[in-house]
Amino acid sequence: MNPLVAVVLIGVVMVVSVYLVAVIDTAVETRVSGGRGYARAWLAPISRAARLALQRRTVTERPDAEAWVLGPALLGGLAAVALTSIPFAPGVDVADIPAGIVLFGAALLQVMVAVVLHGWGANSVFPLLGAFRMAAVGLSMGIPFSLVLITTAIPAESLSVGAIIASQEGVWNVLRQPIGLPVYLITALGFSFWGPLQLPDGADLAGGTSAEISGTALLVWRIARASILVSLAAMGAAAFLGGYLGPWLPGWLWMIVKTMGLAALMIWSGHRIARARMESVVLLGWTVLLPVALVDVFVSGALTL
Amino acid sequence: MGVREALAGLARWSPVPVFPIVGGGARDLVRDLRLRPEVELVATPRHATLLLVAGRFPSGAIPGLAVVHDQIPVPRATVRWNGEVSDEISSARLVGGDEEDLIATLVALHREMMADPSRSGPPILPDVDAVEWRGVGPYGHGGKGMTGGTPYGRPLAERAGDRDGIELDQLPVTIGPWVGALPWGLELAVKLQGDLVQEVEVGPRLSTDPPTDVFSMATRKPMTVAVLELERARHHLRWLADALSIQGLSALGLRALRLGKILTPHHQREVRRLLAMVRRSGIFGLALNRAGGEVTGSQAKGLGPVARAGGVDDDARRDEPAYRELGFQTILHQKGDAAARWRQRMAEVTQSLDLSDRAGDRTAFGAGLVEGPRGRITANGPSPSVVVLDLLPQLLSGLEWGDAVSLVWSLDIDPTESVETHVDNRGAS
């Protein structure tokens, strides 16, 4: 794909999907809180973004300025890189490379680095604790996340995301590997630090790694975080739900429906499931998700043989 | 129209991000602002446009006011609600009246700030180091290798043994009194090793005038049981709203707050539905499963739900004829930890609604002793919050920060609770 077209495509996908994530988040919040006025869900993300764009950035006492700026930029960049490996419709992809799923996994594992840099850079206690937490979550969730993702390549006999989607023509991976999607979604919550795994930016840290940022820095951070959520949802749709495959509707529409469906599920979890304790998350990762992910690999491998 | 004007036009429709500094007598009023779509209460001044100062403060001084003010990004402004303008922020907009007046002022001021940032409040503190350089090394370290000392007045990490006996850096920090993670007004001086709380000291108390709620009134004259119990249920729902928000369930917290505002004895079904949603959120399995903080035995006496959650059968309502006629029985839990206190208050909400529904015109108390929602209130002795604040250092030491925060909220502390509203430790069984 022409590089300029690729940049525009990824940019449009990120802007539109981040906006939809914000709309869904506000609508779910309104629903759970028993409030009214769903109409504001459409305007609120835009007016909030405009307000943040007008606010001046603040600085803390002696921050690590480079790390502080690099964190959000890296997070957004990683989301963009991750999206490049995913075909949005038959023949519509930026870089459906032979090892696309490895590229995606590698990009998402670097989220930990971006969040730790962001938390470290502020030179303040709550962001620093948020950075510690992201390191612990990332290390605990990284292996099961990679395992269940790579397992979807077994039936396809290819690491290309396009080939993985094509291999689900008859039956989706969510049916062939039923434990893969739940493990993927839980670990995806960890890497997007959303919902019950919103530990680095939790309310008990008054916003954690984002507690000391304001204005455009906060706007960029929120957009980057939502972009990561979208890229994880898109890969979930591609790897487990057949991507753009489906009857009646055009492929790109199926991809949007499945991606936003998974994103909505993760957003919903943020309003209905309590934030887990740090220790429980680490235990969950190492003692439950890792063995389950290994079972997923062995069973899928055996079935393929 | 330029880009700036276009953005300002859109930003005026944004909910107004407000960081509150809340003194005595204003907690419930400010908390209720969360129900207003025009306003968004934020957890850190960095995310705010407006600083709201509400309530009473001891001797008129507001600790940390200047620091909080200067952390709010430009454009910013300050509103003082039902009080006097502090000398520190002479530019603050003074607002009297009710919630509607306040909302109108906040929205108008926010739009002013968005349209014309030059009207933003100037910084209060000079942009210089808080304390002169005191380090000896090139990076401001204090003279013990790479650690120790107080360059720029900030104590650096010292080595200290952790819970496993390993020598690790211990970072001394002061958290509060105005931060969204803790109850308004609570200041903790904490020594952290990673996210592990090693030592805690509670900062200055912000006790103000005696409260004027129905429970305080009931120390002086008999009050109807229906009113007292309805207010108790309301109080616990407000607590639930705060505690849920800290656990990442702010939408569910809003639901609790909304229900508390309109609560009548006929809302039992809605309350049960809310409590079922709370249980289904996994709060007890995910967030409070090992939060710790057991308060049991003699240290719990007089602390109302905190005592009863620890199995201490301590409730002044048992001795009141009106409650005996209603067949009142104390609800008890045994473990006395953070989860037990959640379960206790959730059970007492439905119990109070039931009592309120059946109470008729019965009256109770009025002889100087009342069972308040936080514990026993009398004319002598420290208030329930004051007693709990004294327990905090012992309870929090050794916990991870997240568990420490869960524990603090499970205790339902109001740091502004007056020392003149007191808990009675003598009558407890």
Side-chain angles (χ1 to χ4, degrees), chain A residues 175-191:
Chain A
L175 299 174
R176 277 196 295 230
Q177 302 169 1
I179 51 178
L181 185 58
V183 173
Y184 177 82
L185 287 177
I186 293 170
T187 51
L189 286 174
F191 280 105

Side-chain angles (χ1 to χ4, degrees), chain A residues 32-33 61 210 212 277, chain B residues 46-47 74 154 255 258 403:
Chain A
V32 174
S33 69
E61 194 176 340
S210 60
E212 296 282 7
R277 291 178 62 240
Chain B
R46 305 281 189 191
H47 298 179
V74 172
R154 305 286 192 279
R255 195 181 192 97
R258 187 166 280 126
D403 290 342

Side-chain angles (χ1 to χ4, degrees), chain B residues 43-392:
Chain B
T44 160
R46 305 281 189 191
H47 298 179
T49 302
L50 301 184
L51 175 64
L52 171 65
V53 183
R56 303 181 299 271
F57 298 88
S59 66
I62 305 174
L65 175 65
V67 174
V68 170
H69 175 270
D70 286 3
Q71 286 180 347
I72 295 177
V74 172
R76 65 186 166 214
T78 304
V79 172
R80 181 70 167 104
W81 189 20
N82 287 331
E84 293 172 5
V85 173
S86 161
D87 291 340
E88 286 177 292
I89 308 181
S90 52
S91 62
R93 185 80 58 92
L94 195 62
V95 188
D98 60 9
E99 186 180 295
E100 294 303 328
D101 298 324
L102 176 68
I103 294 289
T105 304
L106 292 173
V107 170
L109 204 50
H110 172 71
R111 289 180 176 177
E112 249 177 61
M113 290 299 117
M114 291 296 112
D116 184 5
S118 66
R119 304 184 70 169
S120 175
I124 299 170
L125 300 170
D127 188 15
V128 295
D129 296 316
V131 178
E132 248 180 72
W133 169 271
R134 285 183 195 158
V136 294
Y139 301 106
H141 297 92
K144 294 181 186 175
M146 289 299 287
T147 62
T150 55
Y152 296 115
R154 305 286 192 279
L156 284 173
E158 294 273 13
R159 287 287 172 100
D162 76 347
R163 57 186 171 186
D164 300 319
I166 303 168
E167 290 276 313
L168 294 172
D169 280 359
Q170 196 175 63
L171 187 66
V173 289
T174 300
I175 297 171
W178 312 115
V179 61
L182 296 175
W184 291 319
L186 178 60
E187 181 180 316
L188 298 178
V190 182
K191 287 188 176 172
L192 290 169
Q193 276 182 328
D195 73 341
L196 196 69
V197 176
Q198 288 291 23
E199 280 180 44
V200 178
E201 279 180 38
V202 179
R205 314 294 165 90
L206 292 177
S207 305
T208 54
D209 317 336
T212 52
D213 60 11
V214 290
F215 297 102
S216 303
M217 288 162 67
T219 59
R220 297 185 293 275
K221 61 175 185 181
M223 298 288 292
T224 58
V225 171
V227 169
L228 286 171
E229 291 308 313
L230 192 60
E231 191 53 32
R232 189 185 312 279
R234 233 178 236 143
H235 176 97
H236 289 329
L237 285 176
R238 287 193 204 111
W239 163 81
L240 189 61
D242 288 344
L244 283 168
S245 297
I246 287 297
Q247 301 297 346
L249 296 168
S250 56
L252 216 46
L254 275 182
R255 195 181 192 97
L257 196 58
R258 187 166 280 126
L259 191 51
K261 187 139 188 176
I262 57 163
L263 194 68
T264 69
H266 308 301
H267 283 103
Q268 296 194 36
R269 205 178 69 174
E270 287 83 353
V271 167
R272 288 204 173 89
R273 186 163 173 233
L274 169 72
L275 299 181
M277 289 169 85
V278 173
R279 288 188 200 97
R280 283 201 300 270
S281 74
I283 192 93
F284 295 109
L286 290 170
L288 302 170
N289 53 341
R290 284 184 62 192
E294 286 84 4
V295 182
T296 54
S298 59
Q299 66 177 175
K301 284 180 180 172
L303 295 180
V306 173
R308 296 189 286 276
V312 180
D313 191 359
D314 176 25
D315 196 320
R317 288 176 290 180
R318 282 180 321 178
D319 306 326
E320 288 292 317
Y323 281 93
R324 281 205 295 270
E325 286 170 27
L326 289 166
F328 172 77
Q329 287 196 322
T330 319
I331 295 174
L332 293 176
H333 287 80
Q334 295 304 319
K335 291 184 77 173
D337 60 3
R341 290 190 280 276
W342 273 69
R343 292 184 201 279
Q344 182 71 33
R345 291 200 187 87
M346 286 165 66
E348 290 194 9
V349 171
T350 46
Q351 182 191 41
S352 291
L353 275 188
D354 175 54
L355 287 169
S356 178
D357 194 25
R358 295 189 291 113
D361 56 0
R362 291 181 179 85
T363 60
F365 303 118
L369 184 145
V370 175
E371 185 68 29
R374 293 194 180 95
R376 287 196 178 187
I377 302 170
T378 72
N380 302 298
S383 71
S385 287
V386 169
V387 173
V388 170
L389 284 173
D390 289 338
L391 296 176
L392 275 188

